[in-house]
Amino acid sequence: MTISDLTLKKKIILFGPPGAGKGTLTGVIKKYLPEIVHISTGDIFRENISKKTPLGINAKEYIDKGALVPDAIVIALVKDRLNRDDVKNNGYILDGFPRTIDQARALSEITRPDIFLLLDPPRDLLIKRIKGRYSCQYCGKIYNKYILPPKHEGVCDKCGSEIEFKQRADDNEEALNTRLEGYDNKSRSIVEYYEKKGILKRIKTPFILELTSEEIRNLIELLVLNICIPMQVKSDKIEEVQAKINKIKNSQPEYIEFRLDYIQDISLLTPTFLNKLIELSQDKEIKVILTFRKSTEGGKTEIDEKTRLEIIKKMITALPDYIDIEMSSNDEFIRKAVSLAFQYQVKIIFSYHNFEKTPSLDDVKNLITEFDNRLVKKLSIGAITTESFPFKLIFTAQSFYDNLVPIKICQKLSETRRNIISFCMGELGVFSRVSCVRYGALFTFASLEETTAPGQISINEMKEAHKILYKS
Ligand code: AMP
């Protein structure tokens, strides 16, 4: 495998009101991921309008009024575009789609996006930005009469052509109000839809152009590198726990996992304490995972399954984002945990560990199919409902080649609708630990001060590795 084989296949949705900076952000992302295919439904329509194609003629009457083109037309268009080879090989940035909940649902039938980036700048700035925006007719570089004029008036900075301020037909006041109103009406359910899928990221800065280069680097990093820092919970002393959590929060991981099985005395795991853990780590940007690992799968506290289920119940009612449960748990255990998790809208990460070796690719595929069948057929848990429950498959590498098993699993499962985390443990497994996120893993683990598994590297090493390996 060469470095060029490590190209990213990223599937990104950009979402925000007209003028939020989706086009600008696309430019930034493309600098880092030049191969990624930008699909702007608005651009496709404009091109078709200027060429007077049947699609263009049909769409024009809606677009000029600031109305949405009917779902059936847009969905067919996007479906066709996503099916082409360039997208399959290099990933996509979807800009301007989905715009309705039905479009979002239809998209889920076609592809499984990795990230939904929400841009939501203040309204007054937005209006100024839209009213002033125009682009070079020759090379497409974007300008703004008020915010970002060309360096020399009337001359394009990029290609040197003579340019004039010429607005898009739908950037007038009336159409703009209709578009913003339409956005407000439809956006909430779409944002919620992706929030539930666990792939929503908000961009806080009002305008992409105001991001510093450091922030841009962080943003790109965020597109690919999601890190979970595990924390061993050894006591219920709040000051101690709080200090540890704050340290972890300062290193800005996307996920924090509390390993509750590190506690000696399980009677300390009271609802009050668990609620406190969640409360202390609460941050819009950090997702919380609660885990009480079985002793046969690397857990630190030996207890019977009945007691463990009681703890799992307490964990769910403390309302973390996820709890982690071993696939090897018995049917009754899984059934009860799933039903409670549904009730409280907590997601379950179903995990599998092999501390001895890495099974063959076929064995892992069978394991996944069997577990899926067990959930759906034997335990009658709806396939759609478990879809957002990630599978986590962790093995010990005995050779470098073993790393390729989890990587292939990440590639394969992230193409379908199943969230996946898979890599190898041990010194020989570091390659997949680092690179799994490049192949569709939801996140990878890195440590801050203490490691919870062999081969775990620090968050700084993880970030550094990504910077060196994957940055142009
Ligand atoms: P945009 O450039 O993304 O603001 O799109 C310009 C116009 O194209 C919109 O105001 C709509 O009329 C139409 N359009 C673009 N994308 C969609 C979509 N996903 N669904 C319906 N209409 C769309």
Side-chain angles (χ1 to χ4, degrees), residues 113-172:
D114 297 319
I115 190 160
F116 179 88
L117 280 175
L118 172 63
L119 286 86
D120 204 6
R123 268 309 134 93
D124 49 337
L125 287 174
L126 202 63
I127 290 170
K128 206 170 175 187
R129 190 178 152 137
I130 302 182
K131 281 192 183 163
R133 81 172 163 191
Y134 65 112
S135 62
C136 168
Q137 297 92 309
Y138 303 98
C139 72
K141 186 168 169 54
I142 298 167
Y143 295 99
N144 189 292
K145 204 164 121 176
Y146 313 106
I147 305 165
L148 185 76
K151 284 195 192 89
H152 304 285
E153 207 191 316
V155 183
C156 176
D157 296 345
K158 193 173 165 195
C159 71
S161 309
E162 272 186 32
I163 45 172
E164 51 179 313
F165 174 67
K166 198 167 166 238
Q167 276 192 309
R168 270 167 47 171
D170 59 348
D171 274 352
N172 63 70

Side-chain angles (χ1 to χ4, degrees), residues 16-19 22 40-46 49 59-60 62-71 73-75 77-78 95-100 103 133 168 170-171 175 179:
K22 297 184 293 274
S40 152
T41 40
D43 284 351
I44 298 176
F45 285 133
R46 277 184 288 277
I49 291 171
K60 189 173 181 337
Y62 301 98
I63 294 181
D64 284 353
K65 283 188 287 193
L68 288 186
V69 176
D71 280 348
I73 299 178
V74 200
I75 291 169
L77 179 122
V78 170
D95 164 358
F97 186 95
R99 262 184 161 95
T100 65
Q103 290 180 13
R133 81 172 163 191
R168 270 167 47 171
D170 59 348
D171 274 352
R179 280 155 72 207

Side-chain angles (χ1 to χ4, degrees), residues 1 4-11 88-89 112 114 361 365 368 393 403-423 431-432 435-442:
M1 181 179 281
S4 62
D5 290 326
L6 296 172
T7 45
L8 297 172
K9 260 205 237 169
K10 271 288 137 187
K11 293 171 279 182
K88 287 193 171 150
N89 293 332
R112 181 181 169 279
D114 297 319
L361 186 62
K365 282 184 188 162
I368 292 168
L393 303 140
N403 285 282
L404 304 184
V405 172
I407 287 175
K408 280 186 189 152
I409 291 295
C410 286
Q411 280 177 328
K412 193 171 160 12
L413 268 78
S414 65
E415 292 295 334
T416 64
R417 282 181 277 153
R418 166 72 64 198
N419 284 314
I420 175 80
I421 302 125
S422 189
F423 56 81
F431 177 75
S432 54
S435 58
C436 62
V437 279
R438 301 270 154 177
Y439 297 96
L442 195 60

Side-chain angles (χ1 to χ4, degrees), residues 221-337:
E221 205 53 75
L222 170 156
L223 293 179
V224 289
L225 181 56
N226 285 322
I227 295 179
C228 175
I229 297 189
M231 179 178 134
Q232 302 173 4
V233 180
K234 288 182 171 161
S235 90
D236 70 339
K237 291 203 186 69
I238 291 303
E239 306 78 68
E240 221 174 88
V241 169
Q242 185 164 17
K244 255 174 144 181
I245 293 177
N246 285 344
K247 264 194 188 163
I248 293 181
K249 276 168 101 173
N250 283 341
S251 70
Q252 297 184 317
E254 283 69 28
Y255 296 78
I256 176 167
E257 180 193 39
F258 292 108
R259 280 288 301 270
L260 302 173
D261 50 288
Y262 275 83
I263 207 141
Q264 294 284 322
D265 177 2
I266 55 164
S267 69
L268 300 179
L269 297 177
T270 60
T272 320
F273 175 62
L274 294 178
N275 284 333
K276 193 75 195 166
L277 275 186
I278 309 271
E279 189 192 313
L280 289 173
S281 38
Q282 212 138 51
D283 184 315
K284 247 206 225 140
E285 304 296 318
I286 302 182
K287 298 192 177 73
V288 178
I289 305 169
L290 292 184
T291 303
F292 192 98
R293 178 74 62 236
K294 257 166 103 157
S295 57
T296 47
E297 295 207 22
K300 301 294 165 200
T301 303
E302 191 99 30
I303 49 166
D304 61 74
E305 285 295 88
K306 198 165 156 251
T307 319
R308 204 166 70 91
L309 185 59
E310 289 310 312
I311 295 178
I312 297 282
K313 285 182 184 165
K314 276 193 233 161
M315 282 158 49
I316 294 173
T317 48
L319 301 181
D321 295 283
Y322 296 89
I323 60 156
D324 182 311
I325 289 181
E326 297 78 3
M327 290 182 178
S328 62
S329 308
N330 68 42
D331 285 352
E332 202 45 31
F333 191 103
I334 291 184
R335 205 197 306 268
K336 288 205 169 123

